[in-house]
Structure formats: structure tokens, C-alpha cells
């Protein structure tokens, strides 16, 4: 079970100035666990993928229009901060933008406790996303609407 919501960033003193951050809640499933009863590192990337898709709505229509065109992941950088174990409470994947260029942008994520009163971080990561033309199998420039949407979530 998953759910997504878009909220204002909490302003942790990270210099974000209250910029928008996408919040995605997910539940740890038994199938996500490794033999040590921790969420497998590959499954953690699946949480990031689910959050990214919910945030960008790529290849789907939002309010009758596409939010983002074709994209590919060019790079992931992941820091596993603390093991995540089976639990009843959802986890929160916070996503925001740290850089917008002509053909690419960088996303930042934190996987943390959601609605538990604690602020435990389990993972910090970044992804570089590149505009991609599937028909031509080539890199494409992001259009003005895509860059404007991404700048709403830009934390410099």
C-alpha cells in the first residue's frame, strides 16, 4: 500500500527556504526483507523509484496534460544511513530537486520515519535524470513547462 502527497518542506535548517517537497508514504513488505530482516538495498531503490514516479507523473496525464516527457536515470548515489526493518508504520520518502539543466535534473531523497514523532533517516540519495526521446533513442532537452515544474521543488 502506498500513497503520495505534496507538502511544503519542513525547513530543517537546510537552507531550503520552505521550498516544496514531494512526500511519498510506503509500507515495508515482508518480501522487501533480506535474510538479516533488513530491507534489501535494491528494495530501497524501489521505494525511490515509486516516489519518483509519483512525483513526476512521467508518461501519464495530470489535469489533462503530461507533466514530464520521457526520462531515464543516468546516475544514482545512495548512502544507507541505518537499517530499516519490518514495521507497521509507513516510511516517508521525501523528494526534491537540487539542480535543473537544459536536458537533465538532479533529485534528492531521504527515506525516514513518517508520522511517528521521531526523525530517523534510513537513506539519503540523489538521482540524475535525463530527458529522453524514446522514438529516436536519444537525449532530449527539457521543455519550459517541465523546467518550471521542477523549479517549484528546487532547493539550492
Amino acid at each position: 500500500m502506498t500513497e503520495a502527497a505534496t507538502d511544503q518542506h519542513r525547513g530543517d535548517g537546510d537552507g531550503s527556504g520552505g521550498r516544496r517537497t514531494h512526500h511519498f508514504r510506503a509500507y515495508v513488505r515482508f518480501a522487501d526483507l533480506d535474510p538479516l530482516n533488513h530491507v534489501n538495498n535494491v528494495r530501497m531503490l524501489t521505494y525511490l523509484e515509486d516516489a519518483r514516479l509519483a512525483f513526476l507523473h512521467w508518461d501519464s496525464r495530470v489535469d489533462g496534460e503530461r507533466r514530464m516527457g520521457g526520462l531515464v536515470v543516468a546516475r544514482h548515489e545512495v548512502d544507507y544511513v541505518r537499517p530499516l526493518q519490518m514495521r507497521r508504520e509507513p516510511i516517508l520518502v521525501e523528494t526534491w530537486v537540487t539542480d535543473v539543466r537544459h536536458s537533465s535534473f538532479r533529485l534528492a531523497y531521504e527515506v525516514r520515519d513518517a508520522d511517528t514523532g521521531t526523525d530517523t533517516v534510513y537513506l539519503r540519495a540523489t538521482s540524475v535524470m535525463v530527458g529522453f526521446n524514446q522514438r529516436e533513442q536519444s537525449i532530449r532537452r527539457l521543455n519550459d513547462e517541465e523546467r518550471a515544474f521542477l523549479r517549484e521543488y528546487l532547493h539550492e
Side-chain angles (χ1 to χ4, degrees):
M1 173 193 246
T2 59
E3 80 183 66
T6 301
D7 299 326
Q8 293 295 321
H9 194 270
R10 293 172 302 126
D12 297 332
D14 63 354
S16 66
R19 296 287 188 159
R20 295 177 75 183
T21 300
H22 185 266
H23 289 187
F24 179 84
R25 287 172 178 76
Y27 290 87
V28 175
R29 299 170 302 176
F30 184 75
D32 297 345
L33 303 179
D34 64 17
L36 298 174
N37 288 324
H38 301 135
V39 173
N40 180 282
N41 64 316
V42 175
R43 290 298 199 180
M44 294 290 271
L45 291 176
T46 302
Y47 296 153
L48 300 184
E49 178 184 32
D50 291 344
R52 185 172 58 249
L53 291 174
F55 169 49
L56 298 173
H57 291 281
W58 80 275
D59 203 27
S60 67
R61 300 216 176 260
V62 177
D63 298 329
E65 295 187 23
R66 286 210 172 159
R67 182 173 289 169
M68 299 293 295
L71 299 168
V72 292
V73 175
R75 178 179 175 85
H76 285 305
E77 222 175 289
V78 182
D79 292 318
Y80 298 94
V81 177
R82 145 172 314 181
L84 177 59
Q85 298 179 319
M86 190 67 181
R87 57 196 278 161
R88 290 181 188 262
E89 303 83 19
I91 56 167
L92 177 67
V93 182
E94 289 184 290
T95 307
W96 62 95
V97 178
T98 61
D99 188 31
V100 179
R101 297 182 180 227
H102 294 292
S103 299
S104 66
F105 58 96
R106 183 180 301 270
L107 296 175
Y109 317 83
E110 282 191 352
V111 175
R112 61 177 57 244
D113 285 331
D115 307 324
T116 62
T118 64
D119 208 20
T120 304
V121 174
Y122 299 97
L123 175 142
R124 288 187 179 96
T126 61
S127 296
V128 175
M129 304 297 297
V130 176
F132 192 74
N133 182 318
Q134 186 174 2
R135 186 170 12 115
E136 297 178 13
Q137 293 293 295
S138 62
I139 293 172
R140 67 172 183 86
R141 291 177 69 93
L142 301 173
N143 64 40
D144 292 339
E145 292 81 18
E146 290 170 321
R147 284 195 301 278
F149 168 74
L150 293 168
R151 285 189 186 113
E152 291 179 34
Y153 293 85
L154 184 61
H155 297 211
E156 297 175 311

Coordinates of all heavy atoms in Angstrom, one line a residue, residues 5-91:
A5 N 1.7 12.4 -1.4 CA 1.2 13.7 -1.1 C 2.3 14.8 -1.4 O 3.4 14.5 -1.3 CB 0.8 13.8 0.4
T6 N 1.9 15.9 -1.7 CA 2.8 17.0 -2.0 C 2.6 18.0 -0.8 O 1.6 18.5 -0.6 CB 2.6 17.7 -3.3 OG1 2.7 16.7 -4.3 CG2 3.6 18.8 -3.6
D7 N 3.7 18.3 -0.1 CA 3.7 19.2 1.0 C 4.8 20.2 0.9 O 5.7 20.1 0.1 CB 3.9 18.4 2.3 CG 2.9 17.3 2.6 OD1 1.7 17.6 2.2 OD2 3.2 16.3 3.1
Q8 N 4.8 21.2 1.7 CA 5.9 22.2 1.9 C 7.0 21.5 2.6 O 6.7 20.7 3.5 CB 5.4 23.4 2.6 CG 4.4 24.2 1.8 CD 5.0 24.8 0.6 OE1 6.1 25.2 0.5 NE2 4.2 24.8 -0.5
H9 N 8.2 21.8 2.3 CA 9.4 21.3 3.0 C 9.3 21.8 4.4 O 8.9 22.9 4.7 CB 10.7 21.7 2.3 CG 11.8 20.9 2.8 ND1 12.6 21.3 3.9 CD2 12.4 19.8 2.4 CE1 13.5 20.4 4.1 NE2 13.4 19.5 3.2
R10 N 9.7 21.0 5.4 CA 9.6 21.3 6.8 C 10.6 22.3 7.3 O 10.5 22.8 8.4 CB 9.8 20.0 7.6 CG 8.7 19.0 7.4 CD 9.0 17.7 8.0 NE 10.2 17.1 7.5 CZ 11.2 16.7 8.2 NH1 11.2 16.8 9.5 NH2 12.3 16.3 7.7
G11 N 11.6 22.7 6.4 CA 12.5 23.7 6.9 C 13.4 23.3 8.0 O 13.4 23.9 9.0
D12 N 14.2 22.2 7.7 CA 15.1 21.7 8.8 C 16.3 22.5 9.0 O 17.3 22.0 9.6 CB 15.6 20.3 8.3 CG 14.5 19.3 8.2 OD1 13.4 19.4 8.8 OD2 14.6 18.4 7.4
G13 N 16.4 23.7 8.5 CA 17.6 24.5 8.6 C 18.6 24.1 7.5 O 19.8 24.4 7.6
D14 N 18.1 23.4 6.5 CA 19.0 23.0 5.4 C 19.1 24.1 4.3 O 19.6 23.8 3.3 CB 18.4 21.7 4.7 CG 17.1 21.9 4.1 OD1 16.5 23.0 4.2 OD2 16.6 20.9 3.5
G15 N 18.6 25.3 4.6 CA 18.7 26.4 3.6 C 17.7 26.3 2.5 O 17.8 27.0 1.5
S16 N 16.7 25.5 2.6 CA 15.7 25.3 1.5 C 14.7 26.4 1.5 O 14.1 26.6 0.5 CB 15.0 24.0 1.7 OG 14.2 24.0 2.9
G17 N 14.6 27.2 2.5 CA 13.7 28.3 2.5 C 12.2 27.9 2.4 O 11.4 28.7 1.8
G18 N 11.8 26.8 2.8 CA 10.5 26.4 2.7 C 10.0 25.9 1.3 O 8.8 25.9 1.1
R19 N 10.9 25.6 0.5 CA 10.5 25.1 -0.9 C 9.7 23.9 -0.8 O 9.7 23.1 0.2 CB 11.8 24.9 -1.7 CG 12.6 26.1 -2.0 CD 11.9 26.9 -3.0 NE 12.8 28.0 -3.4 CZ 12.7 28.7 -4.5 NH1 11.7 28.4 -5.3 NH2 13.5 29.6 -4.8
R20 N 9.0 23.6 -1.9 CA 8.1 22.4 -1.9 C 8.9 21.1 -2.0 O 10.0 21.1 -2.6 CB 7.2 22.5 -3.1 CG 6.2 23.6 -3.1 CD 5.4 23.7 -4.3 NE 4.4 22.7 -4.3 CZ 3.5 22.5 -5.3 NH1 3.6 23.2 -6.4 NH2 2.6 21.5 -5.2
T21 N 8.4 20.1 -1.3 CA 9.0 18.8 -1.3 C 7.9 17.8 -1.5 O 6.8 17.9 -0.9 CB 9.7 18.5 0.1 OG1 10.7 19.5 0.2 CG2 10.3 17.1 0.1
H22 N 8.1 16.8 -2.3 CA 7.1 15.7 -2.5 C 7.2 14.7 -1.4 O 8.4 14.3 -1.1 CB 7.3 15.1 -3.9 CG 6.2 14.1 -4.2 ND1 6.3 12.8 -4.0 CD2 5.0 14.3 -4.7 CE1 5.2 12.2 -4.3 NE2 4.4 13.1 -4.8
H23 N 6.1 14.3 -0.8 CA 6.1 13.3 0.2 C 5.4 12.1 -0.3 O 4.3 12.1 -0.8 CB 5.4 13.8 1.5 CG 6.2 14.8 2.2 ND1 5.8 15.3 3.4 CD2 7.3 15.5 1.9 CE1 6.6 16.2 3.8 NE2 7.6 16.4 2.9
F24 N 6.1 10.9 -0.2 CA 5.5 9.6 -0.6 C 5.6 8.7 0.6 O 6.7 8.5 1.1 CB 6.3 9.1 -1.8 CG 5.8 7.8 -2.3 CD1 4.8 7.8 -3.2 CD2 6.4 6.6 -1.9 CE1 4.4 6.5 -3.7 CE2 6.0 5.4 -2.4 CZ 5.0 5.4 -3.3
R25 N 4.5 8.1 0.9 CA 4.4 7.1 2.0 C 4.3 5.7 1.5 O 3.5 5.5 0.6 CB 3.3 7.4 3.0 CG 3.5 8.6 3.8 CD 2.3 9.1 4.6 NE 2.6 10.2 5.4 CZ 2.7 11.5 5.0 NH1 2.5 11.7 3.7 NH2 2.9 12.5 5.8
A26 N 5.1 4.8 2.0 CA 5.1 3.4 1.6 C 5.2 2.5 2.8 O 5.7 2.9 3.9 CB 6.3 3.1 0.6
Y27 N 4.7 1.3 2.7 CA 4.8 0.3 3.7 C 5.8 -0.7 3.4 O 5.9 -1.2 2.3 CB 3.4 -0.3 4.0 CG 2.4 0.7 4.6 CD1 1.7 1.5 3.8 CD2 2.3 0.8 5.9 CE1 0.8 2.4 4.3 CE2 1.4 1.7 6.5 CZ 0.7 2.5 5.7 OH -0.2 3.4 6.2
V28 N 6.6 -1.1 4.4 CA 7.6 -2.2 4.3 C 6.8 -3.5 4.2 O 5.9 -3.8 5.0 CB 8.5 -2.3 5.5 CG1 9.5 -3.4 5.4 CG2 9.3 -0.9 5.6
R29 N 7.1 -4.3 3.1 CA 6.5 -5.6 2.9 C 7.5 -6.7 3.3 O 8.7 -6.5 3.2 CB 6.1 -5.8 1.5 CG 5.1 -4.7 1.0 CD 4.9 -4.8 -0.5 NE 6.2 -4.5 -1.1 CZ 6.4 -4.6 -2.4 NH1 5.5 -4.8 -3.2 NH2 7.6 -4.4 -2.9
F30 N 6.9 -7.8 3.7 CA 7.8 -8.9 4.1 C 8.8 -9.3 2.9 O 9.9 -9.6 3.2 CB 6.9 -10.1 4.5 CG 7.7 -11.3 5.0 CD1 8.3 -11.3 6.2 CD2 8.0 -12.4 4.2 CE1 9.1 -12.3 6.7 CE2 8.7 -13.5 4.6 CZ 9.3 -13.4 5.9
A31 N 8.3 -9.2 1.7 CA 9.1 -9.5 0.5 C 10.3 -8.6 0.4 O 11.2 -8.9 -0.4 CB 8.3 -9.6 -0.7
D32 N 10.3 -7.4 1.0 CA 11.3 -6.4 0.9 C 12.5 -6.8 1.8 O 13.6 -6.2 1.6 CB 10.8 -5.0 1.4 CG 9.7 -4.5 0.5 OD1 9.5 -5.0 -0.6 OD2 9.1 -3.5 1.0
L33 N 12.4 -7.8 2.7 CA 13.4 -8.1 3.6 C 14.5 -9.0 3.1 O 14.2 -9.9 2.3 CB 12.8 -8.7 4.9 CG 11.8 -7.8 5.6 CD1 11.2 -8.5 6.8 CD2 12.3 -6.4 6.0
D34 N 15.7 -8.8 3.6 CA 16.8 -9.8 3.3 C 16.9 -10.8 4.4 O 16.1 -10.7 5.4 CB 18.1 -9.0 3.1 CG 18.6 -8.3 4.3 OD1 18.2 -8.6 5.4 OD2 19.5 -7.4 4.1
P35 N 17.9 -11.7 4.4 CA 18.0 -12.7 5.4 C 18.3 -12.2 6.8 O 18.0 -12.9 7.8 CB 19.1 -13.6 4.9 CG 19.1 -13.5 3.5 CD 18.7 -12.1 3.2
L36 N 18.8 -10.9 6.9 CA 19.0 -10.3 8.2 C 17.8 -9.5 8.7 O 18.0 -8.8 9.7 CB 20.3 -9.4 8.1 CG 21.6 -10.1 7.7 CD1 22.7 -9.1 7.5 CD2 21.9 -11.2 8.8
N37 N 16.7 -9.6 8.0 CA 15.5 -8.9 8.4 C 15.6 -7.4 8.2 O 14.9 -6.6 8.9 CB 15.0 -9.3 9.8 CG 14.4 -10.7 9.8 OD1 13.8 -11.1 8.8 ND2 14.6 -11.4 10.9
H38 N 16.5 -7.0 7.3 CA 16.6 -5.6 6.9 C 16.0 -5.4 5.5 O 16.0 -6.4 4.8 CB 18.0 -5.1 6.9 CG 18.8 -5.2 8.2 ND1 20.0 -5.8 8.2 CD2 18.4 -4.9 9.4 CE1 20.4 -5.8 9.5 NE2 19.5 -5.3 10.2
V39 N 15.5 -4.2 5.2 CA 15.0 -4.0 3.8 C 16.3 -4.1 2.9 O 17.3 -3.5 3.2 CB 14.3 -2.6 3.7 CG1 14.0 -2.4 2.2 CG2 13.1 -2.6 4.5
N40 N 16.1 -4.9 1.9 CA 17.2 -5.2 1.0 C 17.6 -3.8 0.3 O 16.7 -3.0 0.0 CB 16.8 -6.2 0.0 CG 17.8 -6.5 -1.1 OD1 18.0 -5.7 -2.0 ND2 18.5 -7.6 -0.9
N41 N 18.9 -3.7 0.0 CA 19.3 -2.4 -0.6 C 18.7 -2.1 -2.0 O 18.4 -1.0 -2.3 CB 20.9 -2.4 -0.7 CG 21.4 -3.4 -1.7 OD1 21.0 -4.6 -1.7 ND2 22.3 -3.0 -2.5
V42 N 18.4 -3.2 -2.7 CA 17.7 -3.0 -4.0 C 16.3 -2.5 -3.8 O 15.7 -1.7 -4.5 CB 17.8 -4.3 -4.9 CG1 17.0 -4.1 -6.2 CG2 19.3 -4.6 -5.2
R43 N 15.6 -3.1 -2.8 CA 14.2 -2.7 -2.5 C 14.2 -1.2 -2.1 O 13.2 -0.5 -2.3 CB 13.6 -3.5 -1.4 CG 13.4 -4.9 -1.8 CD 12.3 -4.9 -2.9 NE 11.8 -6.3 -3.0 CZ 10.9 -6.6 -3.9 NH1 10.4 -5.7 -4.7 NH2 10.4 -7.8 -3.9
M44 N 15.2 -0.7 -1.4 CA 15.3 0.7 -1.0 C 15.2 1.6 -2.3 O 14.6 2.6 -2.4 CB 16.5 1.0 -0.2 CG 16.5 0.3 1.1 SD 15.3 1.0 2.3 CE 16.2 2.3 3.0
L45 N 15.9 1.1 -3.4 CA 15.9 1.8 -4.6 C 14.5 1.8 -5.3 O 14.1 2.7 -5.9 CB 16.9 1.3 -5.6 CG 18.4 1.5 -5.3 CD1 19.3 0.8 -6.3 CD2 18.7 3.0 -5.2
T46 N 13.8 0.7 -5.0 CA 12.4 0.6 -5.5 C 11.5 1.6 -4.8 O 10.6 2.2 -5.4 CB 11.8 -0.8 -5.3 OG1 12.6 -1.8 -5.9 CG2 10.4 -1.0 -5.7
Y47 N 11.7 1.9 -3.5 CA 11.0 2.9 -2.8 C 11.3 4.3 -3.5 O 10.4 5.1 -3.6 CB 11.4 3.0 -1.3 CG 11.0 1.8 -0.5 CD1 11.8 1.5 0.7 CD2 10.0 1.0 -0.8 CE1 11.5 0.4 1.5 CE2 9.7 -0.1 0.0 CZ 10.5 -0.4 1.1 OH 10.2 -1.5 1.9
L48 N 12.5 4.5 -3.8 CA 12.9 5.8 -4.5 C 12.2 5.9 -5.9 O 11.7 6.9 -6.2 CB 14.4 5.9 -4.7 CG 15.3 5.9 -3.4 CD1 16.7 6.1 -3.8 CD2 14.8 6.9 -2.4
E49 N 12.2 4.8 -6.6 CA 11.5 4.7 -7.9 C 10.0 5.0 -7.8 O 9.5 5.8 -8.5 CB 11.7 3.4 -8.6 CG 11.0 3.2 -9.9 CD 11.1 1.8 -10.5 OE1 11.2 0.9 -9.7 OE2 11.1 1.7 -11.7
D50 N 9.4 4.4 -6.8 CA 7.9 4.6 -6.6 C 7.7 6.1 -6.3 O 6.7 6.7 -6.8 CB 7.4 3.7 -5.5 CG 7.3 2.3 -5.9 OD1 7.4 1.9 -7.0 OD2 7.2 1.4 -4.9
A51 N 8.5 6.7 -5.4 CA 8.4 8.1 -5.0 C 8.6 9.0 -6.2 O 7.9 10.0 -6.5 CB 9.3 8.4 -3.9
R52 N 9.6 8.7 -7.0 CA 10.0 9.5 -8.2 C 8.8 9.4 -9.2 O 8.4 10.5 -9.8 CB 11.3 8.9 -8.8 CG 11.8 9.7 -10.0 CD 13.2 9.2 -10.4 NE 13.2 7.8 -10.8 CZ 13.8 6.9 -10.1 NH1 14.4 7.1 -9.0 NH2 13.8 5.6 -10.5
L53 N 8.2 8.3 -9.5 CA 7.1 8.2 -10.4 C 5.9 8.9 -9.9 O 5.2 9.6 -10.7 CB 6.8 6.7 -10.7 CG 7.8 5.9 -11.5 CD1 7.4 4.5 -11.5 CD2 8.0 6.5 -12.8
A54 N 5.6 8.8 -8.6 CA 4.5 9.6 -8.1 C 4.7 11.1 -8.2 O 3.8 11.9 -8.4 CB 4.3 9.2 -6.6
F55 N 6.0 11.5 -8.0 CA 6.3 13.0 -8.0 C 6.2 13.5 -9.5 O 5.6 14.5 -9.7 CB 7.7 13.2 -7.4 CG 8.3 14.5 -7.7 CD1 7.6 15.7 -7.4 CD2 9.6 14.6 -8.1 CE1 8.1 16.9 -7.6 CE2 10.2 15.9 -8.3 CZ 9.4 17.0 -8.1
L56 N 6.8 12.8 -10.4 CA 7.0 13.3 -11.8 C 5.8 13.0 -12.6 O 5.6 13.7 -13.6 CB 8.3 12.8 -12.4 CG 9.6 13.2 -11.7 CD1 10.7 12.4 -12.3 CD2 9.8 14.7 -11.8
H57 N 5.0 12.0 -12.3 CA 3.9 11.6 -13.2 C 4.4 11.5 -14.6 O 3.7 11.9 -15.5 CB 2.7 12.5 -13.1 CG 2.0 12.5 -11.8 ND1 1.2 11.5 -11.4 CD2 2.1 13.3 -10.7 CE1 0.7 11.8 -10.2 NE2 1.3 12.9 -9.8
W58 N 5.6 11.0 -14.8 CA 6.1 10.9 -16.2 C 5.2 9.9 -16.9 O 4.7 8.9 -16.4 CB 7.6 10.5 -16.2 CG 7.8 9.0 -16.0 CD1 7.9 8.4 -14.8 CD2 7.9 8.0 -17.1 NE1 8.0 7.0 -15.1 CE2 8.1 6.8 -16.4 CE3 7.9 8.1 -18.4 CZ2 8.2 5.6 -17.1 CZ3 8.0 6.9 -19.1 CH2 8.2 5.7 -18.5
D59 N 5.0 10.1 -18.2 CA 4.3 9.3 -19.1 C 2.8 9.1 -18.7 O 2.2 8.1 -19.0 CB 5.0 7.9 -19.2 CG 4.7 7.2 -20.6 OD1 4.3 8.0 -21.5 OD2 4.7 6.0 -20.6
S60 N 2.3 10.0 -17.9 CA 0.9 9.9 -17.6 C 0.3 11.3 -17.7 O 1.0 12.3 -17.7 CB 0.7 9.3 -16.2 OG 1.2 10.2 -15.2
R61 N -1.0 11.4 -17.7 CA -1.7 12.7 -17.8 C -2.1 13.2 -16.4 O -2.7 12.4 -15.6 CB -2.9 12.6 -18.7 CG -2.4 12.1 -20.1 CD -3.3 12.8 -21.1 NE -2.8 12.4 -22.4 CZ -2.0 13.1 -23.2 NH1 -1.6 14.3 -22.8 NH2 -1.6 12.7 -24.4
V62 N -1.8 14.4 -16.1 CA -2.2 15.1 -14.9 C -3.0 16.3 -15.3 O -2.5 17.2 -16.0 CB -0.9 15.5 -14.1 CG1 -1.4 16.3 -12.8 CG2 -0.1 14.3 -13.7
D63 N -4.2 16.4 -14.8 CA -5.1 17.5 -15.2 C -5.1 17.6 -16.8 O -5.1 18.7 -17.3 CB -4.6 18.8 -14.6 CG -4.7 18.8 -13.1 OD1 -5.5 18.1 -12.6 OD2 -3.8 19.5 -12.5
G64 N -5.2 16.5 -17.5 CA -5.3 16.5 -18.9 C -4.0 16.7 -19.7 O -4.1 16.7 -20.9
E65 N -2.9 17.0 -19.0 CA -1.7 17.2 -19.7 C -0.6 16.4 -19.1 O -0.6 16.0 -18.0 CB -1.3 18.7 -19.6 CG -2.3 19.6 -20.3 CD -1.8 21.0 -20.4 OE1 -0.5 21.2 -20.3 OE2 -2.6 21.9 -20.5
R66 N 0.4 16.1 -19.9 CA 1.6 15.4 -19.4 C 2.4 16.4 -18.6 O 2.7 17.5 -19.0 CB 2.5 14.9 -20.6 CG 1.8 13.8 -21.2 CD 2.8 12.8 -21.8 NE 1.9 11.7 -22.1 CZ 2.2 10.8 -23.0 NH1 3.4 10.8 -23.6 NH2 1.4 9.8 -23.3
R67 N 2.9 15.9 -17.4 CA 3.7 16.7 -16.6 C 5.2 16.6 -17.1 O 5.8 17.6 -17.2 CB 3.7 16.2 -15.1 CG 4.5 17.1 -14.2 CD 4.3 16.8 -12.8 NE 3.0 17.2 -12.3 CZ 2.5 16.9 -11.1 NH1 3.1 16.1 -10.3 NH2 1.3 17.3 -10.8
M68 N 5.7 15.4 -17.3 CA 7.0 15.3 -17.8 C 7.0 14.3 -18.9 O 6.3 13.3 -19.0 CB 7.9 14.7 -16.7 CG 8.0 15.5 -15.4 SD 8.9 17.1 -15.6 CE 10.6 16.5 -16.0
G69 N 7.9 14.6 -19.9 CA 8.1 13.6 -21.0 C 9.0 12.5 -20.6 O 9.2 12.3 -19.5
G70 N 9.5 11.8 -21.6 CA 10.3 10.6 -21.4 C 11.6 11.0 -20.6 O 12.2 12.1 -20.8
L71 N 12.0 10.2 -19.7 CA 13.2 10.4 -18.8 C 13.9 9.0 -18.6 O 13.2 8.0 -18.7 CB 12.7 10.9 -17.5 CG 12.0 12.2 -17.4 CD1 11.5 12.4 -16.0 CD2 13.0 13.3 -17.7
V72 N 15.2 9.1 -18.4 CA 15.9 7.9 -18.0 C 16.8 8.3 -16.8 O 17.1 9.5 -16.6 CB 16.8 7.4 -19.1 CG1 16.0 6.8 -20.2 CG2 17.8 8.4 -19.7
V73 N 17.1 7.3 -16.0 CA 18.0 7.6 -14.9 C 19.5 7.4 -15.4 O 19.8 6.4 -16.0 CB 17.8 6.5 -13.7 CG1 18.8 6.7 -12.6 CG2 16.4 6.7 -13.2
A74 N 20.3 8.5 -15.2 CA 21.7 8.4 -15.6 C 22.6 8.0 -14.5 O 23.7 7.5 -14.7 CB 22.1 9.8 -16.2
R75 N 22.2 8.3 -13.2 CA 23.0 8.0 -12.1 C 22.2 8.0 -10.8 O 21.3 8.8 -10.6 CB 24.1 9.2 -12.0 CG 25.0 9.0 -10.8 CD 26.0 10.2 -10.9 NE 26.9 10.2 -9.7 CZ 28.0 9.5 -9.6 NH1 28.4 8.7 -10.5 NH2 28.7 9.6 -8.5
H76 N 22.6 7.1 -9.9 CA 22.1 7.1 -8.5 C 23.3 7.1 -7.6 O 24.3 6.5 -7.9 CB 21.4 5.8 -8.2 CG 20.0 5.6 -8.7 ND1 19.0 6.5 -8.6 CD2 19.5 4.6 -9.5 CE1 17.9 6.0 -9.2 NE2 18.2 4.9 -9.7
E77 N 23.2 7.9 -6.5 CA 24.2 7.9 -5.5 C 23.4 7.7 -4.2 O 22.5 8.4 -3.9 CB 24.8 9.3 -5.4 CG 26.3 9.2 -5.2 CD 26.9 10.6 -5.3 OE1 27.0 11.1 -6.4 OE2 27.3 11.1 -4.2
V78 N 23.8 6.6 -3.4 CA 23.0 6.2 -2.3 C 23.9 6.1 -1.0 O 24.9 5.4 -1.1 CB 22.3 4.9 -2.5 CG1 21.4 4.5 -1.4 CG2 21.4 5.0 -3.8
D79 N 23.4 6.7 0.1 CA 24.0 6.4 1.4 C 23.0 5.7 2.3 O 21.9 6.3 2.6 CB 24.4 7.8 2.0 CG 25.6 8.5 1.3 OD1 26.5 7.8 0.9 OD2 25.5 9.7 1.1
Y80 N 23.3 4.5 2.7 CA 22.5 3.8 3.6 C 22.9 4.2 5.0 O 23.9 3.8 5.5 CB 22.6 2.3 3.3 CG 22.2 1.9 2.0 CD1 23.1 1.7 0.9 CD2 20.9 1.6 1.7 CE1 22.7 1.4 -0.4 CE2 20.5 1.3 0.4 CZ 21.4 1.1 -0.6 OH 21.0 0.8 -1.9
V81 N 22.0 5.0 5.6 CA 22.3 5.6 6.9 C 22.1 4.6 8.1 O 22.9 4.5 9.0 CB 21.5 6.9 7.1 CG1 21.8 7.5 8.5 CG2 21.8 7.9 6.0
R82 N 21.0 3.9 8.0 CA 20.6 3.0 9.1 C 19.7 1.9 8.6 O 19.0 2.1 7.6 CB 19.9 3.8 10.2 CG 18.8 3.3 10.9 CD 18.4 4.2 12.0 NE 19.6 4.6 12.7 CZ 19.7 5.4 13.7 NH1 18.6 5.9 14.2 NH2 20.8 5.8 14.2
P83 N 19.8 0.7 9.1 CA 19.0 -0.4 8.6 C 17.5 -0.2 8.9 O 17.1 0.4 9.9 CB 19.4 -1.6 9.4 CG 20.7 -1.3 10.1 CD 20.7 0.2 10.2
L84 N 16.7 -0.5 7.9 CA 15.2 -0.4 8.0 C 14.7 -1.8 8.1 O 15.0 -2.7 7.3 CB 14.7 0.3 6.8 CG 13.2 0.5 6.7 CD1 12.6 1.3 7.9 CD2 12.8 1.1 5.4
Q85 N 13.9 -2.0 9.2 CA 13.3 -3.3 9.4 C 11.8 -3.4 9.2 O 11.2 -2.3 9.0 CB 13.7 -3.8 10.9 CG 15.2 -3.9 11.1 CD 15.6 -4.3 12.5 OE1 15.0 -3.8 13.4 NE2 16.5 -5.1 12.6
M86 N 11.3 -4.5 9.3 CA 9.8 -4.7 9.2 C 9.1 -3.9 10.3 O 9.6 -3.8 11.4 CB 9.5 -6.2 9.4 CG 8.1 -6.5 9.0 SD 7.8 -6.3 7.3 CE 6.1 -6.7 7.1
R87 N 8.0 -3.2 9.9 CA 7.3 -2.4 10.8 C 5.9 -2.2 10.3 O 5.6 -2.4 9.1 CB 8.0 -1.0 10.9 CG 8.1 -0.4 9.5 CD 9.1 0.7 9.4 NE 8.5 1.9 9.8 CZ 9.2 3.0 10.2 NH1 10.5 2.9 10.1 NH2 8.6 4.1 10.5
R88 N 5.0 -1.7 11.2 CA 3.6 -1.5 10.8 C 3.5 0.0 10.2 O 2.6 0.2 9.4 CB 2.7 -1.6 12.0 CG 2.5 -3.1 12.4 CD 1.6 -3.1 13.6 NE 1.5 -4.4 14.1 CZ 0.6 -5.3 13.9 NH1 -0.4 -5.0 13.0 NH2 0.6 -6.5 14.4
E89 N 4.3 0.9 10.8 CA 4.1 2.3 10.4 C 4.7 2.5 9.0 O 5.7 1.9 8.6 CB 4.9 3.2 11.4 CG 4.4 3.1 12.8 CD 5.1 1.9 13.5 OE1 6.1 1.4 13.0 OE2 4.6 1.5 14.5
P90 N 4.2 3.4 8.2 CA 4.7 3.7 6.9 C 6.1 4.4 7.0 O 6.4 5.0 8.0 CB 3.7 4.6 6.2 CG 3.0 5.3 7.4 CD 3.0 4.3 8.5
I91 N 6.8 4.3 5.9 CA 8.0 5.2 5.8 C 7.7 6.3 4.9 O 6.7 6.3 4.1 CB 9.2 4.4 5.2 CG1 8.9 3.7 3.9 CG2 9.7 3.4 6.3 CD1 10.0 3.2 3.1

